[in-house]
Amino acid sequence: MERFKEKVALITGGGRGIGRAICVRFAQEGANIVFTGRNNDENVAETIRQVEETGAKAHFIQSDISQVPAVYSMVKEALDTFGQIDILVNNAGIEINAPFWEVQEKDYDAVMDTNLKGMFFLTQAFVRFVKENNRTGVIINNSSVHEELPFPNFTPYCASKGGMQMVMRNLAVELAPLGIRINNVAPGAIKTPINAKILSDPALLSTLKNNISLGRLGEPEDVAAVIAFLASDDAKYVTGSTYYVDGGLTFHYTEQ
Ligand SMILES: NC(=O)c1ccc[n+]([C@@H]2O[C@H](COP(=O)([O-])OP(=O)(O)OC[C@H]3O[C@@H](n4cnc5c(N)ncnc54)[C@H](O)[C@@H]3O)[C@@H](O)[C@H]2O)c1
């Protein structure tokens, strides 16, 4: 299936985890890929290898999403490289584990600036490009089940993801007349480095699995598949929605 032939996808945080799976999925479906990340390390080389293996082109931009001038340069570099951007995936994100009463200002700022401010201004730069060139575009935010579900000890993370939900809903209304669709994907419990602590602790892992209706963690490819659907014309009547990719975790309820 080549739903993204002659398209260019810009993906933040594509060096590993869900971001890498998104890069590879879009490449498999015919898109050329621009992806970003803070460090140019062996993870980046591996994403490039996997993208190029599909026959697609890959361009990496070393950039910190929490810095607004860097975000604007990111779009310029992507356009200088491929001349167009059709799909934006706001994927990069961080979380910090701390009880509410111990959260430091610098940690609050890091989470909010990476997860919310970065996607806000990158989306703005993408929308300006689409508008000024009379093109269409599609945006998918990788938010989290925690745009809805409480997560004790992760309050800044939940605030950032809840913010992504309202930015998405607002922009669905505001950008529809420009021919731009925007949706969120809300993953829950995916096997990536962000969950390294849980994955290496059998007791924590067992408790988590008991809270997931499907009884297992998700793979990064499970999330990438839904993001690809939302980016494609198969979802041409979908905007302003959040799609949960969580094995049933969010509304799991049992009395046994
Ligand atoms: N894994 C899960 O269970 C899960 C669940 C819900 C939501 N998510 C969300 O999915 C997204 C991807 O997470 P993941 O699980 O792949 O984790 P990950 O830690 O493997 O990947 C995060 C990516 O974001 C990049 N990144 C972080 N800060 C950045 C910055 N300042 N500038 C540029 N890039 C930066 C990292 O380099 C990395 O590539 C995140 O937004 C996360 O909140 C993940």
Side-chain angles (χ1 to χ4, degrees):
M1 195 161 38
E2 289 232 322
R3 290 181 293 188
F4 307 119
K5 210 166 183 316
E6 288 167 15
K7 305 268 188 204
V8 174
L10 170 58
I11 296 127
T12 62
R16 65 182 210 189
I18 298 170
R20 175 184 291 158
I22 300 166
C23 291
V24 174
R25 178 68 192 237
F26 279 116
Q28 285 168 341
E29 295 206 36
N32 287 324
I33 306 298
V34 183
F35 71 100
T36 77
R38 278 170 303 184
N39 306 312
N40 191 348
D41 54 20
E42 68 283 358
N43 289 328
V44 167
E46 179 56 20
T47 298
I48 291 174
R49 191 191 68 72
Q50 291 189 26
V51 167
E52 289 182 346
E53 206 171 55
T54 70
K57 292 184 187 146
H59 179 77
F60 172 69
I61 302 174
Q62 186 170 3
S63 179
D64 183 343
I65 189 80
S66 68
Q67 305 299 313
V68 175
V71 163
Y72 289 144
S73 310
M74 198 187 284
V75 169
K76 186 177 177 310
E77 186 172 332
L79 293 174
D80 288 346
T81 306
F82 288 124
Q84 66 188 73
I85 308 169
D86 304 283
I87 300 156
L88 169 63
V89 184
N90 290 301
N91 166 74
I94 56 169
E95 60 182 34
I96 287 166
N97 181 350
F100 174 71
W101 48 91
E102 285 177 13
V103 173
Q104 304 289 310
E105 185 181 359
K106 69 171 176 38
D107 292 337
Y108 175 94
D109 285 345
V111 171
M112 295 300 279
D113 290 356
T114 304
N115 298 3
L116 187 58
K117 190 166 87 174
M119 69 75 76
F120 185 104
F121 286 102
L122 180 56
T123 301
Q124 184 189 66
F126 173 62
V127 166
R128 284 178 180 166
F129 161 72
V130 172
K131 186 170 180 293
E132 282 160 16
N133 293 280
N134 289 316
R135 297 176 64 93
T136 57
V138 58
I139 301 159
I140 300 100
N141 305 310
N142 193 5
S143 107
S144 169
V145 291
H146 302 298
E147 71 168 46
E148 190 70 35
L149 187 69
F151 194 11
N153 301 317
F154 290 84
T155 299
Y157 184 75
C158 292
S160 72
K161 297 297 186 177
M164 286 173 82
Q165 182 191 69
M166 281 314 297
V167 170
M168 178 275 292
R169 288 183 181 172
N170 223 56
L171 296 188
V173 180
E174 205 172 334
L175 303 183
L178 301 179
I180 300 175
R181 294 188 297 107
I182 179 167
N183 293 286
N184 283 9
V185 162
I190 310 299
K191 276 187 233 157
T192 73
I194 214 171
N195 288 321
K197 188 162 171 261
I198 292 180
L199 290 166
S200 64
D201 182 327
L204 283 178
L205 195 57
S206 166
T207 307
L208 176 60
K209 282 184 184 169
N210 288 337
N211 278 315
I212 303 173
S213 308
L214 293 181
R216 66 167 179 90
L217 274 72
E219 303 293 337
E221 291 73 18
D222 296 331
V223 183
V226 177
I227 289 178
F229 161 70
L230 288 170
S232 77
D233 280 349
D234 292 337
K236 63 182 184 300
Y237 196 53
V238 181
T239 196
S241 295
T242 293
Y243 276 59
Y244 287 79
V245 186
D246 68 349
L249 178 158
T250 304
F251 294 108
H252 184 76
Y253 177 77
T254 172
E255 296 192 352
Q256 292 162 14

